[in-house]
């Protein structure tokens, strides 16, 4: 690039905030919400607001891993069993859920079910299928290792240990563990409430009769789903018409939520009043334009202490910018420790070129073929073409400074769903060449 071009590129960047800087500003402005007490049944996906410390061992006592007979190993040692099968006297039956009342003496055995506590005196459990037995006796014809088929007290959880740390997102495994630890209620971070406002005279909502010149408000619904996917509670404010008064009324209402997400009306068109209304409401704005595509017009600031995002109106732009800025803020608010999507490196399958003034997020399809991640675009990438999001399982992240990407180049890919991992098993390999900058 010669000097003249550098100056031109700088001019083009004027007023455009780089995404990484914008993300830093947003996260620095984002508080973490307080805690609330919730039932274990509502805990899936929630972020734990306390360390969960075990108040007892699990299992609470040594117990049997098999249906069989609790015996003294001395009685059934290999040399006895192989030369001459041993017959032991069965002195008690211990089903699961009952404590043994007797201890096992020399020549004795206690019938025991899986999960039942090991009786005093016994140190080994024989599997029922390795014995011949009557109600009163058991004949042992196969030796066992000393200690076999016994699950020791505390092998899973030791009393006093922190088993699930604050900041962990609850999955089914954690929910089961909470039950083992007898925690029917836990403290979790509150879920962010997100007010969603669409703006524009051209919009009609789903429950309205509308004429041909209208466009259906799809952003409110796409964004509401994105809010739910990120663990938040969406609150639809409907459509604000393109007048300062209509915008002001709706925005004021939205300030009861933790985050206000508005779409449309942030570019510099004749009917874009957002800037003026934000100002009137005392907004402290951090930026108005982002160096990404899709999604250049993007406002962020605080209004009366609440986070306010003005996303671009085009449906794809609003979803891509939500991913990059609103979602991380929501994850921070709800107590998560990391705020990004999983990222993998994949081999690009096409040719793509762009100017070097913006980071691009192409909607992509990631596959794994013979252990190697490969990615192609979903096809046409217009910011009004929501089919590109419908077809995509990832966003392909092309850095600001990269001008051309060729087949075989290695690109970073943000995963939007887990299916790319699941589809083709096999080891993951690197490969491809690094992207070169202009
Ligand atoms: P704007 O940013 O207001 O200039 O809007 C840019 C484009 O996005 C226009 O074509 C709008 O019709 C479209 N648009 C704005 N808001 C929505 C919405 N809520 N749902 C669907 N399309 C929208
Ligand atoms: Mg508009």
């Amino acid at each position: 690039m010669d000097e003249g071009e550098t100056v031109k590129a700088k001019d083009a960047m004027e007023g455009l905030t780089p995404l990484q800087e914008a993300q830093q500003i947003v996260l620095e402005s984002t508080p973490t919400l307080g805690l609330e007490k919730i039932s274990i049944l509502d805990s899936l996906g929630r972020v734990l607001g306390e360390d969960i410390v075990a108040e007892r061992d699990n299992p609470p006592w040594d117990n049997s891993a098999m249906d069989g007979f609790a015996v003294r190993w001395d009685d059934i040692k290999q040399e006895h069993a192989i030369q001459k099968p041993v017959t032991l006297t069965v002195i008690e039956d211990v089903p699961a859920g009952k404590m043994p009342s007797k201890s096992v003496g020399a020549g004795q055995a206690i019938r025991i079910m899986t999960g039942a506590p090991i009786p005093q005196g016994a140190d080994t459990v024989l599997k029922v299928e390795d014995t011949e037995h009557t109600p009163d006796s058991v004949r042992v014809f196969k030796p066992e290792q000393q200690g076999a088929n016994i699950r020791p007290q505390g092998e899973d959880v030791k009393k006093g240990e922190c088993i699930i740390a604050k900041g962990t997102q609850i999955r089914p495994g954690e929910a089961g563990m909470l039950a083992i630890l007898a925690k029917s209620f836990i403290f979790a971070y509150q879920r962010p409430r997100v007010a969603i406002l669409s703006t524009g005279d051209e919009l009609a909502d789903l429950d309205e009769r509308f004429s041909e010149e209208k466009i259906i408000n799809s952003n409110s619904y796409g964004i509401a789903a994105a809010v739910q996917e990120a663990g938040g509670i969406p609150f639809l404010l409907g459509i604000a018409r393109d007048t300062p008064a209509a915008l002001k009324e709706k925005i004021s209402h939205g300030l009861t939520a933790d985050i206000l997400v508005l779409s449309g009306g942030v570019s510099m068109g004749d009917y874009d009043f957002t800037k003026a209304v934000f100002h009137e409401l005392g907004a402290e704005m951090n930026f108005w334009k982002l160096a990404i595509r899709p999604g250049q017009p993007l406002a962020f600031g605080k209004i009366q202490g609440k986070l306010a995002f003005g996303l671009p109106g085009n449906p794809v732009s609003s979803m891509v910018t939500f991913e990059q800025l609103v979602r991380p803020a929501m994850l921070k608010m709800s107590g998560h420790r990391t705020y990004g999507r999983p990222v993998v490196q994949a081999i690009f399958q096409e040719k793509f070129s762009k100017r070097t003034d913006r980071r691009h997020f192409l909607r992509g399809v990631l596959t794994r073929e013979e252990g190697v991640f490969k990615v192609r675009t979903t096809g046409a990438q217009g910011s009004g073409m929501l089919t590109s999001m419908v077809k995509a399982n990832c966003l392909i992240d092309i850095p600001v400074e990269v001008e051309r990407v060729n087949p075989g180049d290695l690109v970073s890919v943000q995963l939007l769903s887990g299916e790319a991992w699941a589809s083709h098993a096999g080891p993951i390999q690197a490969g491809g060449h690094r992207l070169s900058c202009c």
Side-chain angles (χ1 to χ4, degrees), residues 151-171:
R151 300 188 287 217
Q153 173 174 349
E155 76 167 355
D156 186 22
V157 165
K158 293 224 167 9
K159 182 179 173 182
E161 274 182 2
C162 174
I163 305 300
I164 316 175
K166 179 175 173 169
T168 303
Q169 187 171 24
I170 304 294
R171 300 169 302 168

Side-chain angles (χ1 to χ4, degrees), residues 83-137:
Q83 306 306 329
K84 186 159 70 85
V86 193
T87 300
L88 305 173
T89 309
V90 176
I91 57 166
E92 192 181 2
D93 250 3
V94 181
K98 195 183 149 213
M99 293 303 269
S101 64
K102 297 181 178 157
S103 65
V104 177
Q108 295 181 330
I110 286 184
R111 193 191 316 274
I112 193 168
M113 297 297 141
T114 305
I118 301 296
Q120 294 270 324
D123 60 358
T124 302
V125 170
L126 300 172
K127 288 184 228 161
V128 70
E129 56 268 35
D130 293 342
T131 65
E132 279 174 9
H133 50 94
T134 68
D136 305 322
S137 69

Side-chain angles (χ1 to χ4, degrees), residues 166-183:
K166 179 175 173 169
T168 303
Q169 187 171 24
I170 304 294
R171 300 169 302 168
E174 280 81 16
M177 180 52 73
L178 290 171
I180 283 179
L181 301 173
K183 301 275 180 189

